[in-house]
Each structure stands twice: as C-alpha cells, then as structure tokens.
C-alpha cells in the first residue's frame, strides 16, 4: 500500500463539479492499493499515517501528529500510485489491485482512521475526481508499506 501524505490548511475533492469531500487543517492522503497487499499492509498505514509527527508544536518543531493537532484527513483513492514508467512512456499498472480488492482495503483503512476519532472525508472510488489543496509548508511525505522508499 502506498500513500502520499500532504499537510494542508485545506483540501477538497469534487466529482462532476460537485464537492464531495472537504477538510480544513489536516492531511490530504492519496491512497494506492497493491495486488499483493495484506492485513499487515493495511495495519501499517492505519497506524503510520495518523501518527506521523509533521505538525508544529509550540516551539515550531514538527513534533505533533494529526491526532495531536486535532486535524482531519481527506482520503482519495489513486491506483496510479502503482504506475511503473521505468520501461517506457506509458506507465504499467499491473501491480495495482483490482477494483474490488482496492475498494475493500481503502474502505477498511478509512474505517480504522475513523475508529481513532479522526474526521475523514473521501472522494468517490472509481470516478474522475478533481482534488484541490493548499499544501502547508509544503510538507509531503511518501509512504510505502513495503518500505521501498
């Protein structure tokens, strides 16, 4: 499982010109699911993302998590995080999970974040979405449950 985590002052996602999810301060998280993902990958992201210490404390040091800061998460599915463009100009998405599996793991991840008391807004799975955000910092963190980066 891969996540692109961005600290934001605000973020929203629209489908067909209608806003379907929006947050104020918090994290905008793009989520990609691999065909090889298991419960271990899900657990890793369920813990890693909300506990990332990327929010400033009273001394201006990134020492607080979204949980500590009381922020929200905007979660957007994005199979293209598994695009492999090493072999040519058109990326291969062979490692991306099939839609049924990807949707199930995506929904489970969101549920686990909500269980922690985090407000989580979402896009709509398998739709053409437009994502807007104001990246705060900017702070962008790449996570991979296989720890390849």
């Amino acid at each position: 499982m891969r996540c692109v985590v961005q600290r934001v002052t605000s973020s929203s996602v629209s489908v067909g010109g209608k806003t379907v999810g929006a947050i104020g301060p918090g994290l905008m998280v793009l989520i990609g699911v691999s065909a090889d993902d298991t419960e271990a990958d899900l657990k890793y992201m369920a813990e890693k993302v909300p506990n990332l210490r990327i929010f400033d404390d009273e001394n201006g040091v990134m020492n607080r998590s979204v949980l500590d800061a009381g922020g929200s998460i905007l979660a957007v599915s994005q199979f293209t995080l598994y695009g492999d463009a090493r072999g040519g100009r058109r990326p291969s998405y062979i490692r991306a999970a099939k839609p049924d599996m990807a949707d199930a793991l995506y929904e489970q991840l969101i549920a686990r974040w909500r269980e922690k008391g985090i407000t989580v807004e979402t896009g709509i799975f398998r739709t053409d979405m437009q994502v807007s955000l104001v990246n705060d910092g900017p702070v962008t963190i790449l996570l991979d449950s296989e720890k390849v980066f």
Side-chain angles (χ1 to χ4, degrees):
M1 188 173 286
R2 290 184 176 162
C3 289
V4 176
V5 180
Q6 295 183 291
R7 186 179 75 184
V8 298
T9 56
S10 63
S11 185
S12 65
V13 59
S14 300
V15 175
K18 180 182 178 211
T19 300
V20 296
I23 64 167
L27 301 175
M28 205 296 292
V29 184
L30 302 174
I31 303 164
V33 178
S34 161
D36 299 324
D37 283 343
T38 66
E39 173 65 25
D41 300 286
L42 176 63
K43 183 178 178 184
Y44 176 82
M45 287 302 180
E47 291 300 316
K48 190 71 162 181
V49 171
N51 290 295
L52 276 176
R53 294 176 8 184
I54 59 174
F55 290 86
D56 291 347
D57 64 15
E58 61 280 353
N59 298 313
V61 177
M62 284 194 280
N63 212 16
R64 299 174 71 211
S65 69
V66 71
L67 289 164
D68 300 327
S72 303
I73 294 176
L74 177 63
V76 177
S77 64
Q78 188 169 356
F79 78 94
T80 61
L81 292 181
Y82 276 96
D84 183 349
R86 292 176 294 177
R89 294 183 180 171
R90 184 172 186 262
S92 168
Y93 301 104
I94 195 80
R95 288 206 53 218
K98 299 291 185 211
D100 288 345
M101 177 187 172
D103 189 28
L105 288 176
Y106 167 76
E107 291 294 338
Q108 289 175 50
L109 183 59
I110 291 163
R112 290 186 187 192
W113 290 339
R114 287 178 173 151
E115 288 170 5
K116 295 178 183 301
I118 302 169
T119 298
V120 181
E121 295 281 320
T122 65
I124 299 175
F125 192 82
R126 290 192 86 184
T127 63
D128 184 26
M129 296 177 272
Q130 291 71 49
V131 179
S132 299
L133 64 108
V134 178
N135 191 320
D136 183 23
V139 175
T140 301
I141 306 292
L142 305 176
L143 299 174
D144 186 292
S145 60
E146 295 177 25
K147 301 175 185 156
V148 296
F149 48 76

